[in-house]
Amino acid sequence: MVRHMDVLVEEMLELRARDPARYRRLIQEGMLVELGFDVTTGDSKMPTVEEIRAKYRPHEASYAAIAESVIAGNRARVKELISSSLDQGKDPVDLVTNALMPGIQTQCELYDLGKAFVPEILMSNDAMQGGIQLCQAKLGDIPKKGKLATFVAEGDLHDIGKNIVAAILRANGFDVLDLGRDVPTAKVVATARENGLQMISGSTLMSTTKAGLKRTAETLEEEGVNVPLACGGAAVSKSFVDTFGNSVYGRSPLDAVKIASEICSGKDWKETRNALH
């Protein structure tokens, strides 16, 4: 269906005011420029880097040092600080939740606002994983909260968001099967059927491939595979996910944790959507 340009312009302006982060992602894809839109946001209320850092900085000095090392992408320093904290008797789950995750949360928000770039996200994620490995080694084999899978929609090779989601889900105690990027619907459905998954997290950066998420959610339901799909990514919005069933929208990696917690506690996709949308 072709929309009138004036309607499209109105929707774009509304998006710029309502969801500036997603608007900037569309700019990064080049979509708005190609359509001839003025991509300047005029957003004078954008938080500064220091405000974002302060928002997530742990109060405890030793935890703040770990978070800062995650932001800096310093894996060796993160491992050194986590080892020291574990030796002092700190709880490994508390370290993951309140020291490592604030670091990656900071970096993710900086990235969303265009104040950090993909290499920095990758380095922070690697540093966080170094700390998580030590915490998991301390915990030993513990019961998992649920069995999940992550994937990037068919046709999309951008997997940084998916990698972060998988890492944070694992850090929160979920058993995650990573299917990779450019994954066709048939593979997702077969994996769900063969592995007894409780939830799948799908994402895409590009608007041209977001239909793959809708197709996957609907195919799972049509084939009687009772596994809901958590949908996210720069090109995905709540209003888009609301157009089809068996799915729940998540804006951030942490939202994926909230959705997984609801689903793995026994709620279906409708109950979870009502609780979180």
Side-chain angles (χ1 to χ4, degrees):
M1 180 175 70
V2 178
R3 293 178 174 177
H4 287 291
M5 286 302 294
D6 55 345
V7 174
L8 183 59
V9 169
E10 184 177 340
E11 290 182 353
M12 287 296 100
L13 293 175
E14 181 184 339
L15 174 65
R16 186 170 66 180
R18 173 171 44 83
D19 193 346
R22 182 163 177 258
Y23 181 82
R24 277 186 285 276
R25 289 300 177 83
L26 292 175
I27 292 173
Q28 290 172 4
E29 287 184 46
M31 294 175 56
L32 299 188
V33 173
E34 289 180 7
L35 289 170
F37 286 100
D38 177 5
V39 298
T40 56
T41 63
D43 185 0
S44 60
K45 296 182 180 179
M46 182 183 295
T48 65
V49 171
E50 188 49 44
E51 286 172 338
I52 295 171
R53 284 174 172 261
K55 176 181 175 182
Y56 292 104
R57 184 178 294 125
H59 295 299
E60 186 173 330
S62 62
Y63 282 28
I66 294 170
E68 288 295 330
S69 297
V70 170
I71 296 168
N74 190 334
R75 183 183 176 102
R77 181 60 175 161
V78 168
K79 294 179 70 173
E80 178 186 344
L81 292 171
I82 289 290
S83 293
S84 176
S85 296
L86 291 171
D87 289 343
Q88 294 170 21
K90 297 289 187 184
D91 176 52
V93 174
D94 189 52
L95 284 169
V96 171
T97 305
N98 297 312
L100 292 168
M101 288 188 61
I104 198 68
Q105 286 172 324
T106 301
Q107 197 66 284
C108 286
E109 185 157 333
L110 290 173
Y111 175 72
D112 281 345
L113 295 174
K115 297 177 183 293
F117 301 94
V118 169
E120 292 168 296
I121 287 279
L122 290 172
M123 290 177 66
S124 290
N125 184 51
D126 181 64
M128 180 183 71
Q129 290 303 318
I132 287 174
Q133 287 174 4
L134 294 176
C135 291
Q136 287 182 329
K138 185 72 174 181
L139 285 167
D141 291 332
I142 58 173
K144 297 296 184 182
K145 294 180 180 177
K147 192 169 186 179
L148 319 175
T150 57
F151 76 102
V152 176
E154 186 173 21
D156 191 346
L157 300 177
H158 303 87
D159 62 0
I160 177 60
K162 181 266 298 172
N163 292 342
I164 292 172
V165 167
I168 291 181
L169 284 169
R170 285 173 177 144
N172 279 271
F174 294 95
D175 183 9
V176 180
L177 179 61
D178 189 347
L179 302 182
R181 57 190 181 182
D182 187 18
V183 182
T185 292
K187 181 177 180 179
V188 178
V189 175
T191 301
R193 183 178 283 121
E194 295 166 2
N195 291 275
L197 301 178
Q198 293 166 272
M199 191 195 86
I200 300 167
S201 174
S203 64
T204 185
L205 179 71
M206 303 188 298
S207 298
T208 51
T209 52
K210 69 180 184 180
L213 299 180
K214 179 177 185 291
R215 182 166 57 251
T216 299
E218 291 177 340
T219 303
L220 285 164
E221 196 168 37
E222 290 166 1
E223 298 197 7
V225 182
N226 185 29
V227 180
L229 181 67
C231 301
V236 182
S237 66
K238 174 181 172 295
S239 58
F240 168 67
V241 176
D242 282 343
T243 64
F244 54 97
N246 195 33
S247 60
V248 185
Y249 170 67
R251 179 185 174 87
S252 69
L254 291 180
D255 282 349
V257 175
K258 295 176 185 176
I259 297 168
S261 298
E262 295 285 329
I263 295 295
C264 293
S265 72
K267 292 183 179 178
D268 62 22
W269 69 268
K270 291 180 181 176
E271 294 171 315
T272 303
R273 185 186 279 190
N274 289 336
L276 300 179
H277 275 202

